[in-house]
Amino acid sequence: MSKATTKPIIKRSDKPKNSATPVVILEADKPLSQSMLWKLQTDFYANQGPEAWIKGIVPQYITTNPYIANLYAKTVFGYCRDLALREDFDKNTTIYIMELAAGVGRFTYTFLKRFFHIVDHSSLKGLKFKYIITDFAERNVQYWQTHSFLKPYFESGILDCATFDMTSDEELRLRCCGEVLSKGNRNHPLILFANYTFDSVPQDTFYVDKGVLHEGLITITSSGEQADSTDKSILAGLDYYYTDKPIQGNCYYEESNINDILLYYQDCLEDTAFSLPILALRCIDRLIKLFHNDVILISTDKGYRSVSSMNKNYHPFLSKHGSISLTVNFHALELFFNGLGGKAIHSIYEHENVTMSLFLLGKYSQDFTETAMAYQEIIENIGPDDFYIIKKAVVPLQKSLTTKELLTFLRYTVWDARTFLEFYNTLLERIAGEKDFPKDELIDVIHKVWEHYFPLGEEGDIAYCLGTLLGYFGYDNDALKLFQTSVEFYGENAAIYYEIALCYYNLLELDNAMMYLEKSLIIDPDFEESQSLKSLIGAQ
């Protein structure tokens, strides 16, 4: 089903209706990209930092899970094959991968795990890469730099980070190596990632009727009433509506190539509104000039990928999830790349939740044969949206599936931790009572799940769950590592210290066991399991 038919659509008559409570206009008739909304958005992310994702305020799962990271890794590997086949490509050239608005860094870690597993087992081993993780929020950058799971990548030089304001920055100051990437000193291929990014940055909106182009102007209002206490979004207590103002599309923006996009829609749409990701277009243009080489963009977001999917829409609905987000016009991005001599590849299928699109601009590589083949093979089979739909269908059926089927599905997800947590209680119920329980297969899945997991301290302590299973099956040394990570991200508690003590007891390290039992009982003197194990050790 087309995304355009599943999202709420605001009609032109949706102005506030008369009520007993007077409406206060906070801002009137502003182009959408210049609205006060974006200052609220910036403040939200700057103030929340990593907590926006750790607390689950801002959605991230569909664009950060191991399955989508694997799709990106395979597509980028295809692009690297294209580069390696070029006769003029210097194998000592650093290939830059840059992630925009990376948030908490989960996709970064998962992608690096998958991508370098592929490269290190291929003929491309030895190519030079630099992954630059960026965000405008300083708190996020500091979080990456102190995260123990990213530390090895920073220390190896493969990973670096920078603050990057998509609205204006024209250079990158890398925090680790100290290098400044600026226009004029770059000639490197750039692979650009933008996941749940363009939907959360300024856009403009326009409306075409009877061949006349209008800009959509937004008005922000407040009723003055106390906001709903359950509404934690930046729009809490606010409302908005649009009005249309006729404009000349050939001179609306300073950039003639972006005005060409407006004129294209003016010619082909009727009684329809369309959004324009103006900040995204300008940011991409600056990065193209900065790297002065091939640029490919892989982006996953809720979006429109064709003119038909926008038919009869009106101006954008603002989705609320702490911050706000708008559906992205991927078709406009395609027109932008086409105007520069590039191209875009979209899935042939309409998607319900997100669409993943590939944009290619070749200064040196023209065909991108391997890139396109890799992308089309994975997306036309099961893309990120298809994966999400299948997962939502399978998880409720877990009780009716065999344990082998559950473990097989976990392999299919590329060992997704969230899916494992959803299966956890079912697996626990079967371990002791199921004949021929596939223990060895489960142990392998546990190790793979942990290998691809990036801990945040969010709800659901996967380290504790995996650790208890490893301890149950006698893998006490492996369990200890997971329990220590649980303490790092979730803090001290009596139960986790008991589990650590139990592992040391099984390893016959009784002094260490007693030390952690004492820690457990200091936190909770009545914790029965710790009391019992302490008595058992004392009796020996």
Side-chain angles (χ1 to χ4, degrees):
M1 182 181 292
S2 168
K3 188 68 173 179
T5 64
T6 61
K7 291 299 297 179
I9 298 173
I10 297 178
K11 301 299 183 182
R12 284 198 292 168
S13 60
D14 282 350
K15 291 189 178 183
K17 296 178 173 59
N18 293 330
S19 67
T21 304
V23 172
V24 177
I25 295 179
L26 303 180
E27 175 183 77
D29 295 338
K30 286 281 188 177
L32 182 56
S33 66
Q34 299 173 32
S35 170
M36 61 180 283
L37 294 174
W38 305 112
K39 175 64 165 61
L40 297 175
Q41 184 96 315
T42 299
D43 291 345
F44 170 84
Y45 281 109
N47 294 332
Q48 288 286 334
E51 296 298 313
W53 294 271
I54 294 171
K55 293 179 179 178
I57 301 170
V58 175
Q60 64 164 321
Y61 172 75
I62 200 169
T63 58
T64 63
N65 62 71
Y67 188 89
I68 191 174
N70 191 47
L71 298 184
Y72 274 57
K74 289 181 177 179
T75 303
V76 172
F77 184 71
Y79 173 66
C80 293
R81 289 201 303 265
D82 277 326
L83 287 178
L85 290 171
R86 265 176 33 194
E87 293 183 0
D88 63 336
F89 180 69
D90 182 353
K91 297 298 192 295
N92 292 315
T93 298
T94 299
I95 301 168
Y96 283 88
I97 305 172
M98 179 178 175
E99 184 180 353
L100 294 172
V104 81
R106 173 165 280 168
F107 175 85
T108 306
Y109 177 79
T110 313
F111 171 84
L112 290 172
K113 276 282 184 181
R114 295 303 302 161
F115 180 64
F116 283 104
H117 173 79
I118 295 172
V119 170
D120 290 344
H121 293 83
S122 76
S123 60
L124 299 186
K125 183 177 182 179
L127 286 183
K128 294 183 178 181
F129 296 93
K130 174 77 77 173
Y131 192 110
I132 307 173
I133 178 173
T134 72
D135 201 291
F136 81 91
E138 175 63 26
R139 288 183 61 190
N140 291 343
V141 178
Q142 293 176 0
Y143 183 79
W144 309 327
Q145 291 183 288
T146 57
H147 198 293
S148 58
F149 279 51
L150 291 176
K151 184 178 179 181
Y153 292 106
F154 281 123
E155 291 178 343
S156 71
I158 290 172
L159 178 64
D160 214 317
C161 59
T163 55
F164 183 73
D165 186 345
M166 292 174 59
T167 64
S168 58
D169 284 351
E170 297 184 352
E171 63 181 22
L172 289 162
R173 295 180 176 272
L174 304 187
R175 292 291 180 88
C176 296
C177 70
E179 185 179 3
V180 178
L181 308 184
S182 57
K183 189 164 56 177
N185 67 354
R186 294 291 101 196
N187 189 10
H188 297 262
L190 174 65
I191 302 159
L192 191 61
F193 296 157
N195 297 331
Y196 269 168
T197 298
F198 297 150
D199 69 333
S200 301
V201 296
Q203 302 184 31
D204 279 321
T205 183
F206 301 89
Y207 173 67
V208 179
D209 186 41
K210 298 180 177 59
V212 178
L213 181 66
H214 304 74
E215 63 176 339
L217 302 176
I218 192 168
T219 294
I220 310 297
T221 67
S222 171
S223 65
E225 297 178 345
Q226 186 173 356
D228 181 358
S229 61
T230 63
D231 187 350
K232 304 299 183 182
S233 79
I234 64 173
L235 285 180
L238 304 181
D239 203 351
Y240 64 96
Y241 61 89
Y242 297 98
T243 53
D244 298 323
K245 175 185 175 183
I247 58 167
Q248 295 296 318
N250 61 349
C251 58
Y252 187 81
Y253 293 113
E254 294 179 1
E255 304 92 339
S256 60
N257 60 334
I258 298 181
N259 289 329
D260 289 343
I261 298 174
L262 297 182
L263 296 176
Y264 175 91
Y265 288 127
Q266 182 176 0
D267 288 341
C268 69
L269 294 177
E270 175 55 35
D271 189 24
T272 296
F274 64 93
S275 60
L276 195 72
I278 183 62
L279 185 144
L281 298 178
R282 287 171 171 165
C283 176
I284 293 167
D285 187 62
R286 292 197 308 274
L287 290 172
I288 289 171
K289 293 173 181 175
L290 173 61
F291 283 85
H292 197 62
N293 204 303
D294 288 358
V295 174
I296 72 167
L297 164 66
I298 311 176
S299 184
T300 300
D301 221 316
K302 52 184 183 179
Y304 305 116
R305 59 176 183 77
S306 65
V307 170
S308 61
S309 64
M310 293 181 277
N311 188 43
K312 301 302 179 182
N313 278 359
Y314 196 55
H315 295 304
F317 175 80
L318 307 181
S319 298
K320 300 193 296 183
H321 34 70
S323 57
I324 57 170
S325 62
L326 295 71
T327 303
V328 180
N329 186 349
F330 279 115
H331 182 261
L333 286 168
E334 178 179 2
L335 294 177
F336 179 78
F337 272 80
N338 288 347
L340 298 175
K343 62 181 179 180
I345 307 176
H346 309 287
S347 169
I348 63 174
Y349 304 110
E350 295 285 359
H351 294 295
E352 293 184 10
N353 303 285
V354 294
T355 188
M356 175 179 169
S357 292
L358 173 65
F359 303 89
L360 306 156
L361 181 63
K363 184 176 178 64
Y364 299 103
S365 301
Q366 296 302 322
D367 295 331
F368 296 105
T369 304
E370 297 287 333
T371 316
M373 183 175 68
Y375 174 85
Q376 289 174 322
E377 178 182 354
I378 60 179
I379 297 303
E380 302 310 341
N381 287 317
I382 302 293
D385 193 70
D386 306 306
F387 161 75
Y388 188 59
I389 291 170
I390 291 171
K391 177 187 176 302
K392 288 194 298 182
V394 169
V395 170
L397 303 175
Q398 60 182 281
K399 296 290 186 181
S400 64
L401 299 177
T402 68
T403 302
K404 290 282 288 185
E405 288 169 339
L406 294 179
L407 298 180
T408 298
F409 186 71
L410 282 166
R411 290 198 302 274
Y412 164 77
T413 68
V414 196
W415 304 283
D416 174 47
R418 176 179 288 196
T419 307
F420 187 93
L421 277 177
E422 291 166 331
F423 288 170
Y424 179 66
N425 288 330
T426 299
L427 293 170
L428 278 183
E429 293 169 2
R430 296 179 181 182
I431 286 174
E434 184 173 292
K435 184 180 179 181
D436 299 324
F437 184 87
K439 181 192 79 170
D440 292 340
E441 190 172 345
L442 175 59
I443 295 300
D444 181 63
V445 167
I446 288 171
H447 283 113
K448 291 291 189 180
V449 167
W450 185 246
E451 180 184 349
H452 293 85
Y453 180 65
F454 184 73
L456 303 176
E458 65 206 310
E459 183 179 358
D461 187 350
I462 188 70
Y464 179 85
C465 294
L466 298 178
T468 54
L469 290 175
L470 289 175
Y472 177 85
F473 289 116
Y475 292 81
D476 293 288
N477 281 315
D478 291 337
L480 281 171
K481 295 175 184 177
L482 271 66
F483 290 141
Q484 295 292 358
T485 302
S486 176
V487 172
E488 177 185 352
F489 287 92
Y490 291 89
E492 302 173 311
N493 63 71
I496 194 69
Y497 280 148
Y498 165 75
E499 294 291 348
I500 293 174
L502 183 60
C503 288
Y504 280 124
Y505 175 78
N506 292 332
L507 293 168
L508 303 179
E509 298 183 29
L510 301 186
D511 289 342
N512 282 331
M514 286 296 289
M515 179 178 68
Y516 280 96
L517 287 173
E518 293 292 348
K519 290 185 175 185
S520 174
L521 292 169
I522 289 173
I523 295 172
D524 184 357
D526 298 322
F527 197 77
E528 293 182 4
E529 290 88 344
S530 294
Q531 290 176 341
S532 298
L533 184 56
K534 183 179 180 180
S535 298
L536 179 62
I537 295 173
Q540 293 181 4

mmCIF file of all heavy atoms in Angstrom, residues 40 68 79 191 246 291 296 305 325 362 445 457 486:
data_model
loop_
_atom_site.group_PDB
_atom_site.id
_atom_site.type_symbol
_atom_site.label_atom_id
_atom_site.label_comp_id
_atom_site.label_asym_id
_atom_site.label_seq_id
_atom_site.Cartn_x
_atom_site.Cartn_y
_atom_site.Cartn_z
ATOM 1 N N LEU A 40 12.429 24.601 18.058
ATOM 2 C CA LEU A 40 11.983 23.661 19.086
ATOM 3 C C LEU A 40 12.614 22.286 18.872
ATOM 4 O O LEU A 40 13.013 21.615 19.832
ATOM 5 C CB LEU A 40 10.457 23.547 19.069
ATOM 6 C CG LEU A 40 9.654 24.812 19.391
ATOM 7 C CD1 LEU A 40 8.158 24.547 19.210
ATOM 8 C CD2 LEU A 40 9.948 25.294 20.798
ATOM 9 N N ILE A 68 18.922 -4.309 8.655
ATOM 10 C CA ILE A 68 19.122 -3.178 7.743
ATOM 11 C C ILE A 68 20.603 -2.838 7.631
ATOM 12 O O ILE A 68 21.084 -2.458 6.555
ATOM 13 C CB ILE A 68 18.293 -1.952 8.176
ATOM 14 C CG1 ILE A 68 18.305 -0.889 7.063
ATOM 15 C CG2 ILE A 68 18.783 -1.361 9.481
ATOM 16 C CD1 ILE A 68 17.405 0.296 7.339
ATOM 17 N N TYR A 79 29.414 -1.174 -4.146
ATOM 18 C CA TYR A 79 30.025 0.072 -4.606
ATOM 19 C C TYR A 79 31.553 -0.015 -4.574
ATOM 20 O O TYR A 79 32.232 0.449 -5.504
ATOM 21 C CB TYR A 79 29.548 1.232 -3.741
ATOM 22 C CG TYR A 79 30.242 2.539 -4.034
ATOM 23 C CD1 TYR A 79 30.077 3.181 -5.261
ATOM 24 C CD2 TYR A 79 31.059 3.141 -3.089
ATOM 25 C CE1 TYR A 79 30.706 4.378 -5.535
ATOM 26 C CE2 TYR A 79 31.694 4.347 -3.350
ATOM 27 C CZ TYR A 79 31.520 4.963 -4.576
ATOM 28 O OH TYR A 79 32.153 6.146 -4.846
ATOM 29 N N ILE A 191 30.464 7.915 0.620
ATOM 30 C CA ILE A 191 29.252 7.116 0.812
ATOM 31 C C ILE A 191 28.493 7.770 1.957
ATOM 32 O O ILE A 191 29.001 7.860 3.073
ATOM 33 C CB ILE A 191 29.593 5.660 1.144
ATOM 34 C CG1 ILE A 191 30.439 5.049 0.026
ATOM 35 C CG2 ILE A 191 28.335 4.846 1.387
ATOM 36 C CD1 ILE A 191 31.236 3.833 0.451
ATOM 37 N N PRO A 246 0.110 32.149 -3.760
ATOM 38 C CA PRO A 246 0.670 31.960 -5.110
ATOM 39 C C PRO A 246 2.090 32.519 -5.210
ATOM 40 O O PRO A 246 2.394 33.581 -4.649
ATOM 41 C CB PRO A 246 -0.298 32.733 -6.013
ATOM 42 C CG PRO A 246 -1.558 32.843 -5.220
ATOM 43 C CD PRO A 246 -1.140 32.927 -3.787
ATOM 44 N N PHE A 291 33.751 16.858 -1.199
ATOM 45 C CA PHE A 291 34.523 15.652 -1.507
ATOM 46 C C PHE A 291 34.960 15.585 -2.970
ATOM 47 O O PHE A 291 35.898 14.860 -3.300
ATOM 48 C CB PHE A 291 33.732 14.405 -1.112
ATOM 49 C CG PHE A 291 33.760 14.164 0.373
ATOM 50 C CD1 PHE A 291 32.863 14.787 1.213
ATOM 51 C CD2 PHE A 291 34.725 13.352 0.938
ATOM 52 C CE1 PHE A 291 32.895 14.585 2.586
ATOM 53 C CE2 PHE A 291 34.772 13.144 2.303
ATOM 54 C CZ PHE A 291 33.866 13.760 3.136
ATOM 55 N N ILE A 296 27.591 8.614 -3.306
ATOM 56 C CA ILE A 296 26.358 7.838 -3.283
ATOM 57 C C ILE A 296 25.666 8.084 -1.944
ATOM 58 O O ILE A 296 26.312 8.277 -0.918
ATOM 59 C CB ILE A 296 26.577 6.326 -3.517
ATOM 60 C CG1 ILE A 296 27.223 5.661 -2.303
ATOM 61 C CG2 ILE A 296 27.400 6.082 -4.774
ATOM 62 C CD1 ILE A 296 27.166 4.134 -2.365
ATOM 63 N N ARG A 305 8.179 8.125 -3.221
ATOM 64 C CA ARG A 305 9.213 7.877 -4.214
ATOM 65 C C ARG A 305 8.734 8.094 -5.643
ATOM 66 O O ARG A 305 9.466 7.845 -6.592
ATOM 67 C CB ARG A 305 9.753 6.455 -4.071
ATOM 68 C CG ARG A 305 8.691 5.389 -4.231
ATOM 69 C CD ARG A 305 9.273 3.985 -4.169
ATOM 70 N NE ARG A 305 8.248 2.983 -4.390
ATOM 71 C CZ ARG A 305 7.750 2.673 -5.562
ATOM 72 N NH1 ARG A 305 8.166 3.311 -6.648
ATOM 73 N NH2 ARG A 305 6.823 1.736 -5.680
ATOM 74 N N SER A 325 8.306 14.731 12.890
ATOM 75 C CA SER A 325 8.866 14.258 11.625
ATOM 76 C C SER A 325 7.820 14.388 10.531
ATOM 77 O O SER A 325 6.616 14.387 10.791
ATOM 78 C CB SER A 325 9.335 12.806 11.744
ATOM 79 O OG SER A 325 8.248 11.949 12.046
ATOM 80 N N GLY A 362 28.155 10.067 -10.229
ATOM 81 C CA GLY A 362 29.488 9.615 -10.593
ATOM 82 C C GLY A 362 30.310 10.682 -11.276
ATOM 83 O O GLY A 362 30.011 11.066 -12.407
ATOM 84 N N VAL A 445 23.508 -18.872 18.684
ATOM 85 C CA VAL A 445 22.662 -17.695 18.481
ATOM 86 C C VAL A 445 22.942 -16.642 19.550
ATOM 87 O O VAL A 445 23.028 -15.438 19.254
ATOM 88 C CB VAL A 445 21.173 -18.101 18.482
ATOM 89 C CG1 VAL A 445 20.282 -16.860 18.604
ATOM 90 C CG2 VAL A 445 20.822 -18.869 17.221
ATOM 91 N N GLY A 457 21.464 0.876 27.515
ATOM 92 C CA GLY A 457 20.830 1.019 28.813
ATOM 93 C C GLY A 457 19.344 1.231 28.684
ATOM 94 O O GLY A 457 18.692 1.702 29.617
ATOM 95 N N SER A 486 26.250 -5.541 31.753
ATOM 96 C CA SER A 486 24.970 -5.170 32.346
ATOM 97 C C SER A 486 25.170 -4.155 33.464
ATOM 98 O O SER A 486 24.426 -3.162 33.557
ATOM 99 C CB SER A 486 24.265 -6.418 32.890
ATOM 100 O OG SER A 486 23.063 -6.071 33.545
#
